[in-house]
Amino acid sequence: MISGEYDVVVVGAGNAGMCAALAAQENGARVLVLEAAPFDERGGNSRYTAGALRFVYNGVEDLLKLCDLSETEIATSDFGTYTQDKYYDDLGRLTDYKSNPDMAEQLITLSQETLLWMRSKGIRFAPMYSRQAFKHEGKFVFWGGLALEAWGGGPGLVEGLFKSAEDRGIEVAYEARGEHLIHDDNGVHGVVAIVEGKTTEIRAKAVVLACGGFEANAEMRTRYLGPGWDLAKVRGTRFNTGNGIKMALEIGAMSYGNWSGCHAVGWDYNAPEFGDLAVGDNFQKHSYPFAIMVNATGERFCDEGADFRNYTYAKYGREILNQPHQFAWQIFDQQVVHLQRDEYRIRQITKVVANTIEELADKMAEYAPVDKPAFLKTISDYNAAVQRDIPYNPTVKDGRTTRGLAIDKTNWAMPLEKPPYEAFCTTCGVTFTFGGVRIDTDGRVLDTAQKPISGLYAAGELVGGLFYHNYPGGTGLVSGSVFGKIAGTSAGKQVGRNT
Ligand SMILES: Cc1cc2nc3c(=O)[nH]c(=O)nc-3n(C[C@H](O)[C@H](O)[C@H](O)COP(=O)(O)OP(=O)(O)OC[C@H]3O[C@@H](n4cnc5c(N)ncnc54)[C@H](O)[C@@H]3O)c2cc1C
């Protein structure tokens, strides 16, 4: 029930919005969260995630502040470290050093303390053995800067956030879609929302926009990402249609960041139009560094082993979208199938198996045909180019390369020669868009003169400036938490009840 005047209205009930709500409440505000989705679909993209979290830790002692680890786990695991320097390097390298320096600094320096704050609100974390560690010489070796996930993955995270909000008296309205901001020369005074089909004016002293990017809006994808993006599948929620960005731009907010860029991955060719909560992120096929990928013309089109999966997967969706008929097959043999992630063992999968490469091509043709002679040549050229004398090691960038191909595979090259062969068909799945509004270091939305719009804050996917071209895996949730907490704290302080 929406009743009376609220101090802070948060638009969007994903991770960023719920962190903002918790922070605003902590600062004494009466908070209402508007969620466009019905109760059963609440939680946005955050709920579809595995809950992987990229944050700074300098050793196992930092992990122990966030989660429980048994003595055996500590003795049999090499968690490594993920230092501030490494985080800066990764974010800089992947974004062509375009990431806004203030935002990058806040994300990185506040990453660990923000997760500790979430823990104080009841959110639990766990080591990410299944996806981020390989057993090597008797130890689980973690790689790629991701050691922890939210307990229970995205669904566990979202449940924890809602429970925490409920315990603190934060109200959430479902099927409540923010449409416009109530705004005059003195700033923002609330939101006009469609609540269960009825236009409703909700007054508030401050508004936090946290309602996602425009990835679920085919028209905006095509307009801003470019031709062909209408054909991408949406990996997560159908509710992130760019409304928050539109609401802010409507009252003069500044557009910012990589509007033509997005996070997009290889996603099952026959996955539904939008995400499926029962399947979660399992339509993705992220073990391609140990495979090769071929397109409809039977050719490889990228260096599958350019880097650890965490550093290439978010840009390879675009590569797949750019291929003829927007598909790519991943090919494995028995030497590497044990490296396939759990998502390769689900029922809803476009997979064929055969004892010869010729037969594999025929079976692939039943779903998405490739040029067979070209495909056979690609495989034999690739096999001949693998530098077999370099040792194979999936836990490091092993430098086991091919030599002499138009596009070499520069790590984890393994000839395809041990049948049965397995092929998985993928297309492009869009995760979230990179462009949005501009905020300052207090989470305040800036106008086109780069002045804060009084009473308006933002966090999460709809904020631009952090990601350009690519993205280090596990940063979306942590950035939502860091900037959600900042926005909620500023909004709560503006209301002033605790001061
Ligand atoms: C399949 C998948 C796997 C992923 N895995 C990971 C991972 O492991 N680690 C990681 O860090 N990131 C991951 N991500 C990215 C991550 O989900 C996002 O970066 C992050 O969740 C964004 O949080 P958010 O709160 O900004 O948006 P969301 O969680 O999407 O929340 C936005 C909310 O706003 C609501 N909404 C939209 N429009 C309106 C409106 N007009 N009015 C009211 N409400 C509205 C939506 O219903 C939604 O609940 C993954 C994403 C997907 C899709």
Side-chain angles (χ1 to χ4, degrees):
M1 266 309 136
I2 297 175
S3 64
E5 178 159 324
Y6 293 87
D7 297 321
V8 176
V9 170
V10 176
V11 185
N15 176 56
M18 296 311 284
C19 285
L22 287 166
Q25 186 275 340
E26 187 176 77
N27 282 280
R30 183 181 177 210
V31 181
L32 170 70
V33 182
L34 301 177
E35 167 61 316
F39 179 88
D40 289 347
E41 291 178 79
R42 67 180 182 172
N45 277 346
S46 305
R47 186 162 160 198
Y48 288 83
T49 71
L53 301 163
R54 182 171 298 270
F55 66 98
V56 170
Y57 65 96
N58 292 308
V60 72
E61 20 348 297
D62 281 344
L63 302 183
L64 284 165
K65 292 183 212 159
L66 285 163
C67 71
D68 300 326
L69 293 169
S70 69
E71 280 180 17
T72 315
E73 283 174 322
I74 294 171
T76 57
S77 308
D78 176 0
F79 292 105
T81 60
Y82 194 60
T83 60
Q84 287 199 8
D85 284 354
K86 183 78 178 100
Y87 209 154
Y88 278 113
D89 281 352
D90 283 343
L91 190 64
R93 182 169 53 87
L94 267 61
T95 59
D96 271 354
Y97 297 92
K98 291 191 176 79
S99 194
N100 174 297
D102 288 335
M103 293 180 77
E105 184 176 338
Q106 286 188 306
L107 166 71
I108 293 166
T109 59
L110 301 177
S111 60
Q112 191 189 117
E113 72 176 61
T114 303
L115 295 190
L116 284 165
W117 172 80
M118 287 173 79
R119 191 168 190 194
S120 77
K121 301 285 179 198
I123 307 303
R124 297 170 66 201
F125 305 102
M128 211 168 175
Y129 280 105
S130 69
R131 288 183 167 182
Q132 285 302 138
F134 287 122
K135 201 150 194 197
H136 187 65
E137 295 174 354
K139 274 207 160 182
F140 291 100
V141 181
F142 281 74
W143 51 275
L146 295 178
L148 297 190
E149 61 191 358
W151 184 274
L157 170 67
V158 163
E159 275 313 301
L161 287 166
F162 278 103
K163 164 91 177 50
S164 191
E166 205 173 282
D167 290 348
R168 288 164 176 78
I170 294 169
E171 295 166 56
V172 184
Y174 298 99
E175 297 184 53
R177 190 177 74 234
E179 285 286 299
H180 301 287
L181 292 163
I182 303 170
H183 172 255
D184 61 21
D185 291 348
N186 296 319
V188 168
H189 309 288
V191 177
V192 177
I194 311 287
V195 184
E196 294 179 355
K198 281 209 167 63
T199 302
T200 311
E201 210 172 88
I202 303 154
R203 295 252 151 199
K205 298 185 183 102
V207 173
V208 181
L209 294 174
C211 46
F214 57 84
E215 58 273 3
N217 180 330
E219 187 269 344
M220 283 183 84
R221 281 205 307 275
T222 315
R223 181 186 294 251
Y224 298 112
L225 303 181
W229 281 96
D230 42 344
L231 305 174
K233 293 185 191 265
V234 178
R235 296 178 68 206
T237 177
R238 62 196 168 100
F239 292 97
N240 288 358
T241 54
N243 257 21
I245 296 175
K246 284 192 215 159
M247 284 158 73
L249 295 186
E250 224 168 57
I251 63 153
M254 182 179 181
S255 62
Y256 191 51
N258 187 194
W259 274 70
S260 60
C262 70
H263 180 304
V265 308
W267 192 245
D268 191 89
Y269 187 60
N270 288 306
E273 183 185 2
F274 297 104
D276 176 343
L277 280 168
V279 178
D281 67 0
N282 283 317
F283 288 122
Q284 68 203 9
K285 294 291 164 272
H286 282 354
S287 298
Y288 59 84
F290 310 116
I292 64 163
M293 291 197 274
V294 295
N295 63 14
T297 59
E299 291 163 313
R300 291 177 53 246
F301 53 90
C302 66
D303 176 2
E304 303 87 346
D307 206 333
F308 285 119
R309 185 287 299 179
N310 312 55
Y311 302 123
T312 58
Y313 77 116
K315 64 176 182 179
Y316 280 177
R318 180 183 285 268
E319 295 293 327
I320 297 170
L321 189 87
N322 288 338
Q323 302 312 307
H325 309 293
Q326 296 83 42
F327 71 79
W329 283 94
Q330 298 178 4
I331 319 288
F332 296 82
D333 82 348
Q334 292 303 307
Q335 299 175 95
V336 287
V337 288
H338 68 284
L339 296 172
Q340 287 170 355
R341 293 155 54 106
D342 46 6
E343 70 231 19
Y344 285 75
R345 289 179 287 280
I346 65 168
R347 262 189 324 114
Q348 307 88 333
I349 202 159
T350 311
K351 172 184 180 184
V352 296
V353 182
N355 281 319
T356 65
I357 297 289
E358 287 81 354
E359 191 194 345
L360 193 71
D362 293 337
K363 288 192 171 172
M364 285 155 62
E366 289 169 25
Y367 294 95
V370 301
D371 178 319
K372 190 171 170 185
F375 173 59
L376 298 180
K377 180 165 172 359
T378 295
I379 303 273
S380 66
D381 289 353
Y382 167 77
N383 283 354
V386 174
Q387 301 300 294
R388 296 172 189 245
D389 51 327
I390 303 171
Y392 189 87
N393 182 354
T395 66
V396 293
K397 283 168 74 176
D398 62 4
R400 185 161 143 140
T401 185
T402 60
R403 287 229 171 88
L405 299 178
I407 303 170
D408 277 315
K409 183 176 180 191
T410 55
N411 290 288
W412 311 298
M414 181 73 94
L416 291 155
E417 56 192 12
K418 282 237 162 67
Y421 303 101
E422 297 184 359
F424 299 83
C425 195
T426 60
T427 186
C428 171
V430 60
T431 319
F432 68 92
T433 45
F434 290 161
V437 299
R438 186 165 192 161
I439 55 168
D440 68 6
T441 50
D442 291 322
R444 299 181 295 182
V445 176
L446 301 181
D447 67 14
T448 48
Q450 297 201 41
K451 294 217 170 74
I453 299 174
S454 180
L456 187 62
Y457 303 83
E461 287 179 359
L462 57 64
V463 171
L466 200 52
F467 308 122
Y468 291 79
H469 311 299
N470 197 2
Y471 154 105
T475 317
L477 288 174
V478 174
S479 65
S481 301
V482 167
F483 295 106
K485 178 169 182 273
I486 290 172
T489 303
S490 299
K493 282 193 173 146
Q494 179 199 314
V495 168
R497 292 195 190 209
N498 272 3
T499 53

